[in-house]
Amino acid sequence: MTTHSSDQVSVLGLGAMGSALAGALVKAGHPTTVWNRTPGKADAIVALGAESAATAEDAVRASRLVIACLLDHASVLEVLGPLSAELAGRTLVNVTTTAPAQSRELAAWAADAGVAYLDGGIMAVPDMIGRPGSSVLYSGSAEVFDRHKPLLDLWGDSAYFGEDAGLASLFDLALLAGMYVMFAGFLHGAAMVAPEGVTASAFAERAAPWLAAMTGGFQGFAAVVDGGDYTVEGQQSLGFSSLDDLIAATSGQGISTEVVDMVQRLIRRQIDAGHGEEGFARIIESIRQPAH
Ligand code: FVH
């Protein structure tokens, strides 16, 4: 049996993201009950047609399907820990950002309490919810995912990674790792050109298409990594990839070299281990084996 727009749903947490998720459900016609620790945040959603519950317990009791979108793992435990009896026999979809071990801990707690559990990682900002480009990663109960997919799809593209509840979180954080390092690289470049009077906005105009074009190289690196042979012809070698000039130019601008030093260290460890002729993708071996 799959979710229908007439199915009742409760949303716990009306921060920026919880409000966006609840708003999408209400707009799609789901009878929606909302709860937030601090009163007042429900007003905008109630104006759209949601019911406001006075307590988290009341919100849980209102629906078979409960969505949690709270700050972090600790707040989820604080709110849901005392409600295991009320949640028993219901379905919990937790889209709060948590670490994989925390997602697994919640899944184990839910199993003990008789709660069907699906963990989610949101790859979107609140304004993107329900729009193209928004995706939400899920893992945990396949049955819950399949049954509620029409509802989950209201928020964005829904992707399921498997029964291990920690997998969605792992993918979420792995993707965020790529994002943060890319942002740091962009800001490093902006800081490099700033002493010449170039604004960050002007630099962004050049950086965005350049970095977008460079993502075309991911599959090539991935093929080398998956093949496990870094000697494949046609790759830029580690020896050729030295960042010495880049680091010297960075120092010359009087700014920190920390961002590029990190990449240089990953390259250097492989060259020092005798792999200078092999491809750049080999730095994944430095990442896999922490430096002592
Ligand atoms: N906003 C975003 O762009 C990101 C995108 C990717 C996924 N994240 C994650 O979504 C979770 C919620 O994020 P949020 O943006 O809604 O966060 P806030 O606006 O700060 O709202 C936090 C809500 O959590 C409630 N809360 C915090 N601590 C407790 C607690 N101990 N007990 C009960 N509720 C708690 C808070 O309530 P209040 O402060 O209004 O009373 C808000 O409802 C998050 O995991 C992101 O990483 C969003």
Side-chain angles (χ1 to χ4, degrees):
M1 206 171 73
T2 52
T3 321
H4 299 287
S5 62
S6 57
D7 289 346
Q8 178 82 37
V9 55
S10 291
V11 177
L12 308 178
L14 294 174
M17 186 53 83
S19 295
L21 301 180
L25 298 177
V26 175
K27 285 176 194 158
H30 283 281
T32 305
T33 298
V34 293
W35 171 82
N36 193 67
R37 175 182 61 176
T38 306
K41 284 198 184 169
D43 295 352
I45 301 295
V46 168
L48 289 176
E51 290 284 326
S52 177
T55 64
E57 184 177 340
D58 290 346
V60 168
R61 287 208 166 113
S63 308
R64 307 292 304 165
L65 174 61
V66 177
I67 313 292
C69 186
L70 299 167
L71 182 65
D72 56 12
H73 183 61
S75 55
V76 174
L77 291 183
E78 190 180 323
V79 172
L80 297 182
L83 299 180
S84 56
E86 287 74 15
L87 276 165
R90 299 179 201 274
T91 294
L92 173 63
V93 178
N94 178 33
V95 290
T96 306
T97 302
T98 49
Q102 295 170 331
S103 303
R104 291 177 185 127
E105 181 190 335
L106 272 166
W109 171 85
D112 283 349
V115 180
Y117 185 75
L118 186 66
D119 200 86
I122 302 174
M123 307 311 300
V125 296
D127 282 350
M128 289 167 68
I129 294 301
R131 296 176 194 271
S134 168
S135 66
V136 187
L137 319 180
Y138 296 97
S139 60
S141 167
E143 195 265 329
V144 170
F145 179 78
D146 292 340
R147 179 155 34 104
H148 295 294
K149 190 166 181 299
L151 179 148
L152 304 175
D153 284 344
L154 294 171
W155 297 331
D157 180 55
S158 310
Y160 179 73
F161 288 81
E163 291 278 344
D164 174 354
L167 285 176
S169 157
L170 181 66
F171 270 84
D172 178 353
L173 298 175
L175 290 167
L176 289 181
M179 181 194 78
Y180 279 116
V181 176
M182 178 189 71
F183 283 166
F186 160 67
L187 293 167
H188 177 90
M192 273 181 88
V193 296
E196 312 313 323
V198 180
T199 64
S201 303
F203 184 68
E205 269 181 42
R206 290 222 162 260
W210 164 247
L211 292 175
M214 288 300 96
T215 62
F218 287 177
Q219 286 296 352
F221 286 133
V224 171
V225 169
D226 290 344
D229 180 4
Y230 303 104
T231 65
V232 175
E233 295 257 328
Q235 299 179 69
Q236 179 172 307
S237 74
L238 282 163
F240 187 79
S241 307
S242 166
L243 303 191
D244 287 346
D245 289 345
L246 203 164
I247 291 169
T250 297
S251 296
Q253 296 299 88
I255 66 166
S256 168
T257 61
E258 286 163 282
V259 171
V260 283
D261 282 346
M262 177 270 288
V263 184
Q264 180 78 319
R265 276 198 300 275
L266 298 174
I267 294 169
R268 176 55 53 198
R269 277 171 52 207
Q270 292 306 312
I271 293 175
D272 290 350
H275 303 294
E277 298 304 313
E278 298 179 33
F280 181 82
R282 196 180 171 100
I283 69 165
I284 196 170
E285 298 299 337
S286 299
I287 297 166
R288 283 173 169 159
Q289 292 170 6
H292 300 295

